[in-house]
Amino acid sequence: MVKHSEIMNLREEEISAIIEQLSKKTDGFENPRIVLIGGYALRAFTSLSRYTRDCDFVLRKSDGWNLDKIRKLLPKDLSTETLRKRMVMVF
């Protein structure tokens, strides 16, 4: 029987590969500018893993929703469960 920690580690590897691919396709998260937030951002600075189920990004709305452009860069066999678009005013 597969252990829970083994399943979580496999998921971590898959998400890491997706983040790496997205980084390459966006010039290191610069075009468009993307900021990784949440559990995976925390993971970049600590050795602890929260084994979160999602991967959160923040990006500006520019010439339409950049999020739609990002979604097209993801692997074809990857599905997204939730896609939220919100306008946030930054001062």
Side-chain angles (χ1 to χ4, degrees):
M1 180 178 242
V2 178
K3 294 181 181 179
H4 180 71
S5 62
E6 291 172 359
I7 293 171
M8 294 295 108
N9 286 333
L10 286 173
R11 183 166 58 196
E12 290 275 310
E13 290 172 16
E14 287 294 320
I15 292 177
S16 177
I18 292 166
I19 291 171
E20 185 69 33
Q21 181 181 19
L22 195 55
S23 174
K24 288 178 184 174
K25 290 186 174 188
T26 60
D27 299 324
F29 302 112
E30 292 294 327
N31 185 23
R33 186 175 290 258
I34 303 172
V35 177
L36 180 65
I37 62 173
Y40 285 98
L42 179 65
R43 179 76 187 265
F45 296 100
T46 69
S47 60
L48 301 174
S49 179
R50 293 180 50 218
Y51 294 117
T52 181
R53 292 190 56 191
D54 60 0
C55 190
D56 306 305
F57 295 92
V58 176
L59 55 152
R60 291 179 187 249
K61 180 180 184 290
S62 176
D63 298 325
W65 287 97
N66 276 320
L67 191 54
D68 291 330
K69 296 173 192 170
I70 299 299
R71 196 174 196 183
K72 291 176 185 174
L73 297 176
L74 297 173
K76 301 285 184 237
D77 60 342
L78 179 72
S79 65
T80 54
E81 291 179 14
T82 305
L83 183 65
R84 278 190 264 169
K85 299 175 183 177
R86 291 190 261 175
M87 294 290 292
V88 177
M89 299 299 287
V90 178
F91 300 95

